[in-house]
Amino acid sequence: MQRYDVIVIGGGAAGLMCAFTAGRRGRRVALLEHNARVGLKIAISGGGRCNFTNLFAAPENYLSSRPRFCVSALARYRPEDFIALVEKHRIPFHEKKQGQLFCDFSSRQVIEMLLAECAIAGVEVHCGCRVVSVEKPGRFSLGTNRGLLECDSLVIATGGLSLPRLGASDFGYRIAEQFGISLTETRPGLVPFIFSDEEQALFAPLSGVSLPVVARVNRATFSEAMLITHRGLSGPAILQVSSYWRTGEEVTLDLLPQHAGAEWLLAQRETKITLEDLLAREWPARFAAIWSGRYARPIPLQQTRTAELEQLARLLHRWPIRPAATEGYAKAEVTVGGVDTGELSSKTMEARRVPGLYFIGEVVDVTGWLGGYNFQWAWASGHAAGEAA
Ligand SMILES: Cc1cc2nc3c(=O)[nH]c(=O)nc-3n(C[C@H](O)[C@H](O)[C@H](O)COP(=O)(O)OP(=O)(O)OC[C@H]3O[C@@H](n4cnc5c(N)ncnc54)[C@H](O)[C@@H]3O)c2cc1C
């Protein structure tokens, strides 16, 4: 039987941060990871360069049933704090756009940095460790393939359901259920859409085409690039709104955000140009051809009635798409929903009804936008629990 003050289950972003934060306080900490290595998601994140934070991370950039829950942890561990750590380890980084910070070279450097901090703090990192049971007769008692382990504080940092091929599991949700802690409904987020059959037939040949749009779902609006794939839509604008989308809902796309309203189209009425040729000046020609072929008559704008042009302008600025589905957890960057934040202390992440049990990172019902916000939540919630556990 091995005894620890703190056991952290899950060696991802949140778990590693929590483990060394607790270790620095002199706590005897073990981190258990079922994969052969820690941080697999960090390794592939940001296209291999890890978008490790966002300079402007604020509570407004997160989805949650209780939107204010994340305020306290985010305020107590800020992007500057993580940047200071990255600078201490001399990892070169740059801002790509909109406050998104990436490593210049490789995400591996972030993993090595976190492991180095764990080593300094005396954290025992056990990879290939499977937890088969968790009991709480008094202290927590864990049955594992390494034998029985005991601890005072147990931190669940096993992430969400996205990318099962990298070891994602429902372990965290099962532990919550075991201890009577409620969950909110989970669904894939930051995930590409799959076209309906009609749109698939029309637009799939355009796979690879990208254009700037404003994408809307309900009241969420994102102005970014959209990418057509062989099965549907992706690109930052689409990934962002996907987190707000529920099955059956409509997504509207402003395909010409650079020309608001109908005036621009009406102003072209004096020319002999067709809509297709006009749009080909704004969009990739193939998209202009297929979109116009579907929605407009192949006649010069001169011969098109004002009402028809106004109708086309409405369609250009509010093109409705009803995705058949998303690509699901296999392609999702995150899981929306999770451990109900009403069950947790926003200061420490400790479960109100189970003293000593903590939930951090993506397993919690706090989901960030695309752009470094999810890692910032992992660091902040991991830090909050690491200061308390
Ligand atoms: C392709 C991709 C790219 C991404 N890029 C970015 C980005 O650039 N910036 C950003 O902010 N966010 C990004 N994200 C999201 C980000 O990776 C996650 O939000 C973040 O990793 C969550 O951290 P976590 O520690 O909560 O969970 P995870 O990082 O998922 O870590 C959970 C860990 O627990 C382990 N585990 C699971 N079950 C068990 C179990 N039963 N026993 C033991 N261990 C277990 C897992 O193997 C894993 O190591 C990306 C996600 C994906 C999928």
Side-chain angles (χ1 to χ4, degrees), residues 51 66 84 121 150 155 265 360:
N51 178 194
R66 290 179 175 75
E150 261 195 14
V155 184
L265 195 54
I360 57 172

Side-chain angles (χ1 to χ4, degrees), residues 55-330:
L55 290 173
F56 310 122
E60 294 67 49
N61 307 119
Y62 295 85
L63 292 80
S64 173
S65 306
R66 290 179 175 75
R68 304 300 294 166
F69 176 80
C70 60
V71 171
S72 170
L74 289 174
R76 281 176 302 124
Y77 193 87
R78 296 176 172 279
E80 303 86 277
D81 296 311
F82 196 76
I83 293 166
L85 194 61
V86 168
E87 285 174 340
K88 176 182 147 197
H89 286 260
R90 299 177 195 281
I91 299 174
F93 64 91
H94 60 279
E95 180 181 347
K96 194 164 169 188
K97 57 174 180 176
Q98 299 163 356
Q100 301 171 5
L101 300 190
F102 284 76
C103 297
D104 286 356
F105 300 113
S106 167
S107 317
R108 293 240 33 107
Q109 293 178 291
V110 173
I111 301 171
E112 279 155 23
M113 172 187 87
L114 297 168
L115 281 174
E117 289 293 329
C118 282
I120 295 166
V123 174
E124 285 181 28
V125 177
H126 299 282
C127 290
C129 182
R130 281 189 307 282
V131 179
V132 290
S133 64
V134 175
E135 305 296 335
K136 192 179 187 317
R139 309 179 84 208
F140 289 95
S141 170
L142 277 60
T144 79
N145 59 339
R146 305 277 172 86
L148 214 54
L149 309 178
E150 261 195 14
C151 59
D152 295 319
S153 299
L154 179 63
V155 184
I156 307 298
T158 46
L161 298 169
S162 46
L163 294 213
R165 71 184 167 83
L166 290 189
S169 78
D170 64 353
F171 182 87
Y173 310 130
R174 281 191 278 120
I175 293 293
E177 278 171 352
Q178 179 188 333
F179 286 96
I181 293 167
S182 56
L183 302 169
T184 65
E185 188 199 340
T186 49
R187 60 181 195 277
L190 301 180
V191 62
F193 286 132
I194 296 178
F195 281 136
S196 66
D197 289 345
E198 189 204 350
E199 282 148 4
Q200 165 78 13
L202 265 176
F203 296 105
L206 296 174
S207 175
V209 164
S210 168
L211 61 151
V213 300
V214 177
R216 287 193 185 84
V217 168
N218 302 318
R219 270 183 289 168
T221 301
F222 291 91
S223 181
E224 279 260 23
M226 168 185 90
L227 172 72
I228 300 177
T229 72
H230 64 292
R231 279 162 61 90
L233 296 176
S234 188
I238 298 299
L239 297 179
Q240 296 280 31
V241 289
S242 74
S243 298
Y244 291 85
W245 183 82
R246 284 164 201 271
T247 307
E249 286 183 337
E250 192 174 89
V251 180
T252 54
L253 299 167
D254 183 345
L255 298 170
L256 273 182
Q258 62 275 39
H259 299 295
E263 291 72 27
W264 173 77
L265 195 54
L266 292 171
Q268 315 294 325
R269 220 174 2 184
E270 305 312 321
T271 65
K272 292 197 176 121
I273 198 168
T274 61
L275 184 69
E276 176 184 338
D277 290 339
L278 180 67
L279 291 175
R281 293 179 188 167
E282 307 287 328
W283 297 342
R286 289 190 295 150
F287 185 64
I290 290 187
W291 197 92
S292 311
R294 167 72 178 79
Y295 296 107
R297 293 187 294 152
I299 55 172
L301 292 177
Q302 227 175 19
Q303 297 168 22
T304 312
R305 281 176 299 123
T306 304
E308 195 175 334
L309 285 177
E310 283 171 345
Q311 167 62 18
L312 282 168
R314 270 195 294 278
L315 206 53
L316 283 165
H317 291 299
R318 283 203 300 273
W319 187 41
I321 288 279
R322 208 175 285 277
T326 70
E327 293 275 5
Y329 289 114

